[in-house]
C-alpha cells in the first residue's frame, strides 16, 4: 500500500506539469458538477411516490410548515398505553417552552381547541352535499330507516342525560342522525400511518 503512494509522489515529481493539469482538470470538473446542483426545500420529493404521501405533500405545500417545529410525543415501548402520562408530559413541555425564551416562540399549539373542532364540524355539516359520494347515500338511506331513526334518537337521549352531554350536546342538536361523521371518517384517508 505505501508503494502506491510513493509511486504517485515520484510520478508527480517527474511529470509535474501533467500532474498540475490533472489536478486543475479534476477541480474544474468538480466545479462544473457542483454548479449544476439544484437545491429544493420540498423534503417530500425524496420520499417514495405513494398516493397517500402525495396527498400529504400537496397539503404541506399549501400550508407554510417551514417555520414550524412539530414534536411528536410517544412511548418508546409501543405496548405501553398511558395517555395521561403523555398529556402530563406535553403540559410540562409547553410550560417549559413558553417560559424558556418567549421572544423566539410566536405560539404553541399542543392541543386542538374546542372552537376549532366545532367550526370544522359546522363547515362539513353546512356543505354536506358537496362532500358526499355515491356510496355515502347508501349509508344515509340506512340511517333514515324508521327503526334506525328510533335507535339513534334513543342513543342521543342517553347521551344527553349523561355527563357526556356537555361535549356532545352541540353536535347532537345540530345533526341528530349523525350524517356529518360519514364525511369526517373520510378524513382518516389523509393519515399516512397509524
Amino acid at each position: 500500500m505505501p508503494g502506491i503512494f510513493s509511486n504517485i509522489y515520484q510520478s508527480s515529481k517527474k511529470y509535474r506539469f501533467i500532474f498540475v493539469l490533472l489536478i486543475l482538470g479534476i477541480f474544474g470538473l468538480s466545479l462544473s458538477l457542483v454548479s449544476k446542483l439544484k437545491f429544493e426545500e420540498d423534503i417530500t420529493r425524496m420520499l417514495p411516490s405513494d398516493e397517500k404521501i402525495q396527498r400529504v405533500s400537496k397539503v404541506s405545500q399549501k400550508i407554510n410548515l417551514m417555520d414550524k417545529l412539530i414534536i411528536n410525543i410517544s412511548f418508546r415501548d409501543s405496548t405501553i398505553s398511558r395517555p395521561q402520562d403523555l398529556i402530563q408530559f406535553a403540559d410540562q413541555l409547553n410550560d417549559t417552552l413558553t417560559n424558556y425564551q418567549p421572544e423566539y416562540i410566536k405560539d404553541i399549539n399542543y392541543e386542538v381547541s374546542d372552537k376549532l373542532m366545532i367550526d370544522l364540524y359546522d363547515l362539513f355539516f353546512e356543505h354536506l352535499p358537496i362532500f358526499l359520494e355515491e356510496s355515502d347515500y347508501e349509508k344515509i338511506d340506512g340511517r333514515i330507516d324508521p327503526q334506525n331513526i328510533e335507535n339513534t334518537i334513543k342513543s342521543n337521549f342517553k347521551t344527553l342525560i349523561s355527563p357526556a352531554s356537555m361535549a356532545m350536546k352541540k353536535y347532537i342538536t345540530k345533526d341528530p342522525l349523525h350524517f356529518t361523521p360519514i364525511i369526517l371518517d373520510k378524513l382518516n384517508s389523509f393519515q399516512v400511518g397509524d
Side-chain angles (χ1 to χ4, degrees):
M1 187 73 161
I4 294 172
F5 293 113
S6 70
N7 286 340
I8 292 173
Y9 175 72
Q10 293 300 328
S11 298
S12 69
K13 279 178 66 177
K14 192 174 189 182
Y15 304 105
R16 188 174 302 253
F17 181 71
I18 294 173
F19 186 71
V20 169
L21 283 178
L22 182 66
I23 296 294
L24 288 175
I26 291 172
F27 184 72
L29 180 66
S30 299
L31 281 177
S32 148
L33 292 174
V34 166
S35 69
K36 293 179 182 177
L37 285 177
K38 293 181 181 170
F39 298 100
E40 290 192 25
E41 291 184 18
D42 186 9
I43 195 168
T44 58
R45 302 267 322 243
M46 67 183 235
L47 298 173
S49 182
D50 184 72
E51 182 182 332
K52 289 181 179 180
I53 292 174
Q54 286 178 351
R55 275 190 265 159
V56 171
S57 174
K58 188 183 293 186
V59 170
S60 68
Q61 287 173 356
K62 300 287 184 200
I63 301 171
N64 187 10
L65 293 175
M66 299 305 291
D67 60 348
K68 293 177 179 30
L69 175 65
I70 299 172
I71 300 173
N72 188 8
I73 302 169
S74 64
F75 290 109
R76 276 189 190 169
D77 185 1
S78 61
T79 61
I80 298 174
S81 177
R82 292 190 313 258
Q84 280 305 113
D85 291 348
L86 293 175
I87 292 169
Q88 183 180 5
F89 179 77
D91 291 339
Q92 291 172 352
L93 181 62
N94 177 50
D95 293 341
T96 303
L97 291 175
T98 302
N99 297 325
Y100 178 61
Q101 289 184 336
E103 65 271 11
Y104 293 117
I105 300 173
K106 183 178 178 183
D107 62 347
I108 297 176
N109 298 323
Y110 79 105
E111 59 186 358
V112 179
S113 71
D114 292 336
K115 183 181 178 344
L116 179 65
M117 290 303 294
I118 292 170
D119 290 346
L120 182 67
Y121 194 91
D122 288 346
L123 174 79
F124 282 108
F125 180 75
E126 291 168 10
H127 300 92
L128 195 64
I130 294 172
F131 298 108
L132 291 173
E133 295 175 354
E134 196 72 34
S135 60
D136 299 329
Y137 289 106
E138 294 171 14
K139 293 177 186 175
I140 290 174
D141 281 343
R143 290 187 183 190
I144 59 175
D145 178 57
Q147 183 61 40
N148 285 340
I149 290 175
E150 185 177 334
N151 292 339
T152 303
I153 298 300
K154 285 179 183 177
S155 173
N156 287 344
F157 179 73
K158 287 179 183 176
T159 303
L160 289 173
I161 61 173
S162 73
S165 68
M166 293 189 315
M168 300 301 295
K169 181 179 179 182
K170 294 174 187 172
Y171 301 113
I172 290 174
T173 55
K174 184 176 276 278
D175 187 12
L177 296 178
H178 310 292
F179 293 139
T180 308
I182 295 172
I183 304 303
L184 294 175
D185 289 342
K186 291 180 182 181
L187 295 178
N188 289 334
S189 67
F190 285 110
Q191 272 185 288
V192 175
D194 293 338

